[in-house]
Amino acid sequence: MAVLSPSRVRGLSVVLTVILLFSSVSFALTPTNGEDLQPVPFDDTVGGSSGGGVDVRQAEEEGFVLPRTEVFFSNYRYVVGDYGIGETASKLTNPGTERQFGTPLAIYVSDFSTVKPTLSEEGFVVSENGQTVGWTTATNASFVVNSEARVPSGSTVLPFSNRADAKRFIQAHGGRIVEWDALGETVDDPLQSRLNRFHNEMAARHTWANKTVVESRAILERPRSIVVGDDAPNISAAIAAAQPNTTVYLPPGTYETDDLTVNKSITLAGAGNETVLRGNGNRSVVSLRTDRIAVRNLRIDGVGDVGSRRLEMQNGSGNWTTKVRLAYGYGDAGIILDGADSSVISDVSIETNASGIINRKSNQSVIDNVTVYGAATSDDGFMGATVIGARSVVQDSTFVDGRDGVYTHRADGSVIRRNQLEGGRYGIHEMYTSHTLVANNTARNVGGGVLVMTGPTDNLVIGNDVRGSGFGIDPAGSDSFYANNVLVNNGYGMRATGQQNAYLDNIAVSNDIGIRAGEIAPSNWFIRNDVVDNDKQVESELGPLRTWTHRGIGNYWGDLPLVDADDNGIYDRGYQPTGTVDGRLGEVSGAITLAQSPASALLRRVRDVVSGIRNSGVIDTAPRSDPFHPEQIANARANRTRGDAA
């Protein structure tokens, strides 16, 4: 253990005092008013330019208007843009916002006095003749709340620079007027509103998946009409002779086949692993090309080797999205679903050096209790299950080795749950995919557990367990929910990034890095998480100081040598896991002495009120002295060897 001698502690205290002096001079140069500040193009703001939220996507598609804000802060070099007036007002009442950005110098809001707003049948705001909504200062506006106006995610607030316009809107659509100073206390807690929606969405997506699975099971037990070997000489002849909505049964044995095509609504059923469909090693083994086909209770091998390497090289100079579509969606696989809506693959085992199952535009399809054994190395193999352009369910399956266990591409609304992912590059890899539920999956010894890419929105990543991997969960996009995930003994547990995402009740134990903070505009919520025993609790990338506390609720960072005088479960001062001193508490002898020195205490007090000297990183203003999830932490500690089962 490194040691700080008393002389070094005194020396560092002097350095801290010097920092205070120079920082206070720097703060004096900060602008003190916003009289000359004017709205900027919204796409140039930080936050609002992403356009990734649920409301924004639908507004762009349907042409209605979303109220917006632009805020200029004293100690943040970028203009912060946001959709939603009430949410911004609520954030500005939170002391953590000033801690992050400084004081607001100028606040601009959409001015609906510049257009004649009407409401669509859904209550969405439409401007007359598609006119662009102008801007007004927040202090000059009258805000209509509790009216019939809404956005897809709920109610909304409309500002008017002319109070008479606000009154006319109220006469037509109800509501009441609130001034800016009172608006933040009037609207609902933005985090709680989101959590309510997330929990409702989680239940709805499970319900949809349950219903889809139940409906799929109806086609698994169709009456038997043809037995291969008794009623027909081979599988192709059996399929040709079978009536729709019946079962073609394959008794135990090995059936050599060459790109078998099923083009009628039947069930292809075997006798378990004793029934083997064996391809010739040159192409896909089975292709399903109409709706409501079932394949169950058999084993597949002899898959061709056309996967990533060959197709990526063949299309090396094309559009990237086209290359991905070709390489990921049109390689060889054990089973191909091509426009086969409401089909199901159940109790099937596949050995492949390419892909296991590829679902192309086969909506409402189910992959259930499937096992895919991929290539021994990720460079040689491909995907266990690929879903492209289809809302589908992948559940209760095992994917071993290969490249990615489950890969989705524009598969909005899919549910991926209760799968086992072992080895390979990524366990679950989502590209251009929104509105999904990724729940209760277990990943061991993969390059990464769950990877969400390309700026999606409204994804729910809940209750996943990733251990012994390069990283646990790496999110992207906005307006999503990452909760109750267990991340143990990985390179890093989770990244807290994106915009307006909620990270709640996650556990990061014994990772090299517990959490990585990477967003430029810290608009995420990170609370009720247990981050303990990591070599480095938090690694922070560029950006302002991020406050990981919301309305007095913070996170648990282990047993810190801090004081909880009133025994309320919250330490008496904030904790900065990325700080030079706080980040070493409990690790370096002398860090406690330095943290308790008069210079350190003075610096913390000044930083609480002078944002100009706040460094980048993460601070928790209400760190917990007791864990939120003690039993799960104990379990994680007991099973933290790389690759151990939960």
Side-chain angles (χ1 to χ4, degrees), residues 310-319 323:
R310 193 187 305 179
L311 278 171
E312 284 176 351
M313 289 187 291
Q314 289 174 354
N315 298 281
S317 61
N319 173 272
K323 286 194 294 182

Side-chain angles (χ1 to χ4, degrees), residues 337-355:
L337 291 83
D338 193 354
D341 290 355
S342 301
S343 294
V344 56
I345 313 299
S346 179
D347 297 296
V348 170
S349 175
I350 301 173
E351 296 177 16
T352 177
N353 283 322
S355 289

Side-chain angles (χ1 to χ4, degrees), residues 101-398:
F101 300 110
T103 57
L105 299 178
I107 305 168
Y108 285 94
V109 296
S110 296
D111 182 9
F112 286 91
S113 287
T114 60
V115 297
K116 293 182 178 179
T118 58
L119 299 184
S120 68
E121 291 183 2
E122 297 88 353
F124 302 154
V125 182
V126 180
S127 64
E128 185 181 40
N129 298 323
Q131 292 177 319
T132 301
V133 180
W135 295 97
T136 186
T137 60
T139 54
N140 187 51
S142 296
F143 297 86
V144 175
V145 300
N146 301 330
S147 73
E148 295 172 348
R150 60 182 300 273
V151 293
S153 60
S155 61
T156 191
V157 177
L158 298 186
F160 295 83
S161 60
N162 188 319
R163 192 177 184 86
D165 294 334
K167 290 181 178 179
R168 278 191 289 272
F169 186 86
I170 289 172
Q171 289 176 350
H173 304 291
R176 61 188 179 90
I177 292 176
V178 175
E179 303 304 325
W180 175 253
D181 290 343
L183 184 61
E185 303 298 333
T186 302
V187 298
D188 294 336
D189 176 5
L191 174 58
Q192 190 57 55
S193 298
R194 266 183 167 73
L195 293 182
N196 292 341
R197 176 165 57 84
F198 288 147
H199 285 296
N200 290 337
E201 279 295 318
M202 180 172 61
R205 292 173 197 181
H206 272 304
T207 298
W208 172 82
N210 292 341
K211 180 175 180 290
T212 302
V213 170
V214 168
E215 291 174 349
S216 75
R217 286 173 179 161
I219 67 174
L220 290 174
E221 302 298 335
R222 288 164 164 153
R224 184 182 299 180
S225 63
I226 301 290
V227 176
V228 178
D230 292 343
D231 305 315
N234 54 51
I235 303 175
S236 295
I239 292 172
Q243 295 297 312
N245 299 312
T246 63
T247 293
V248 171
Y249 177 67
L250 286 69
T254 298
Y255 299 83
E256 306 283 347
T257 184
D258 180 12
D259 194 19
L260 176 69
T261 297
V262 182
N263 52 16
K264 63 174 63 174
S265 299
I266 62 170
T267 296
L268 198 63
N273 282 333
E274 295 179 353
T275 298
V276 180
L277 290 183
R278 177 160 295 157
N280 61 11
N282 292 322
R283 52 180 60 86
S284 296
V285 179
V286 182
S287 296
L288 314 183
R289 299 189 182 277
T290 194
D291 297 346
R292 296 179 61 77
I293 300 174
V295 179
R296 70 175 183 90
N297 212 28
L298 49 78
R299 180 159 58 95
I300 294 175
D301 61 22
V303 181
D305 64 355
V306 176
S308 61
R309 300 298 97 189
R310 193 187 305 179
L311 278 171
E312 284 176 351
M313 289 187 291
Q314 289 174 354
N315 298 281
S317 61
N319 173 272
W320 182 81
T321 300
T322 301
K323 286 194 294 182
V324 168
R325 178 174 170 271
L326 290 173
Y328 287 40
Y330 289 85
D332 292 332
I335 301 176
I336 299 280
L337 291 83
D338 193 354
D341 290 355
S342 301
S343 294
V344 56
I345 313 299
S346 179
D347 297 296
V348 170
S349 175
I350 301 173
E351 296 177 16
T352 177
N353 283 322
S355 289
I357 299 170
I358 297 177
N359 174 348
R360 295 195 296 258
K361 297 183 179 180
S362 300
N363 280 301
Q364 308 274 55
S365 291
V366 174
I367 298 171
D368 182 26
N369 197 31
V370 164
T371 301
V372 177
Y373 298 97
T377 66
S378 60
D379 283 345
D380 293 332
F382 221 48
M383 311 309 185
T386 294
V387 183
I388 296 182
R391 186 186 188 190
S392 300
V393 179
V394 182
Q395 69 172 31
D396 298 321
S397 296
T398 299

